[in-house]
Amino acid sequence: MRIFTAPTAPEVHIVCELLKSHCIDCQVIGEGIAGLQGELPFDDSTCPSIWLLDISQLGQAHKIIQQLEQQDQSTSKWQCQQCDELIEMQFRLCWKCNTTTD
Ligand SMILES: [Zn+2]
C-alpha cells in the first residue's frame, strides 16, 4: 500500500532510505512518470511515492514519517540570539532587531 508521496523523486528516495534504515520493507514507485507531468493531470497518482511491502510495519512507518515531518517544521526556523524571535529560514536577518543568522 502507498504510505508516502512527494512531488519530486529525490524527496521520496530520502524518506525511503530512512524507512529502510529502520528495517522497514518499502519500495519507490512511479518516479519514471514524473517527467510526463506536463502532459498528465497533476495528482497523487503521477507523483513518485513509497509503497509499504509489509503491512504489519504500517504503524512503525507512519511514526517515522510523522517524526520526519515534525523535524522539517522545526528546522525551517531559526531563533534570534538577541531577542529570541523565531525567524523563517529564508530570511537571513531578524526583522525585530536586525541581527543576522551568522
Ligand atoms: Zn532579533
Side-chain angles (χ1 to χ4, degrees), residues 33-41:
I33 310 171
L36 300 173
Q37 269 169 14
E39 297 159 38
L40 293 169

Side-chain angles (χ1 to χ4, degrees), residues 33-100:
I33 310 171
L36 300 173
Q37 269 169 14
E39 297 159 38
L40 293 169
F42 186 83
D43 64 44
D44 273 4
S45 65
T46 58
C47 288
S49 54
I50 296 170
W51 288 71
L52 189 68
L53 303 177
D54 184 351
I55 297 297
S56 68
Q57 295 179 315
L58 180 64
Q60 205 191 344
H62 264 164
K63 214 178 276 177
I64 293 165
I65 291 172
Q66 236 167 32
Q67 277 171 2
L68 190 77
E69 283 169 349
Q70 278 166 5
Q71 268 174 24
D72 271 2
Q73 279 166 8
S74 61
T75 53
S76 64
K77 288 187 176 167
W78 58 279
Q79 190 168 28
C80 177
Q81 288 178 346
Q82 292 298 318
C83 67
D84 289 339
E85 190 67 34
L86 281 173
I87 319 291
E88 287 180 35
M89 276 321 243
Q90 67 258 42
F91 301 111
R92 305 286 296 164
L93 202 71
C94 173
W95 54 268
K96 216 171 176 180
C97 68
N98 285 340
T99 300
T100 56

